Amino acid sequence: RITKDLDIQMKKRKQSFEDDMSALWEILEGARNPAGLLRVKIREMEENSFRGTATPDRDVEDLAKKFNLDAQASAKLAEVIGKRGDRKR
């Protein structure tokens, strides 16, 4: 069922197929429960809120290494920091 749902969503995303698949691979690679996380990502695609992975900048990469963050946590951190307007440099 999850394979079918992923197939349906990816067929709708032809322009971003390669980027989305790469992002999913990177996100799921370090997940504790890949099937559960994939279900969440499919739901995000259904709701048009799937963003893939934000490319972490140098600060985020340094924090990820310092606190031993996995790919999913690093991507979420990059997303949240990217939305902030009061970022220090």
Side-chain angles (χ1 to χ4, degrees):
R1 177 152 172 85
I2 197 167
T3 308
K4 180 182 173 188
D5 292 343
L6 179 61
D7 183 54
I8 290 168
Q9 291 307 311
M10 294 310 292
K11 284 180 179 175
K12 295 177 184 177
R13 304 172 69 85
K14 291 181 181 176
Q15 285 136 348
S16 62
F17 181 88
E18 292 295 324
D19 291 335
D20 290 344
M21 289 303 288
S22 295
L24 283 172
W25 184 267
E26 184 177 329
I27 291 167
L28 297 174
E29 192 173 37
R32 291 184 202 137
N33 180 0
L37 184 55
L38 179 57
R39 175 59 59 198
V40 169
K41 295 302 174 185
I42 291 171
R43 191 173 311 118
E44 287 178 3
M45 288 179 189
E46 291 169 352
E47 297 168 351
N48 292 322
S49 63
F50 178 75
R51 295 180 41 134
T53 54
T55 305
D57 63 13
R58 188 75 179 135
D59 295 336
V60 173
E61 287 179 14
D62 291 344
L63 284 171
K65 286 179 184 174
K66 180 178 180 179
F67 294 104
N68 197 24
L69 301 178
D70 63 10
Q72 181 186 3
S74 298
K76 188 65 175 177
L77 180 62
E79 179 183 333
V80 170
I81 288 176
K83 290 179 183 178
R84 292 187 57 113
D86 62 344
R87 244 182 105 169
K88 288 183 180 178
R89 278 281 167 185

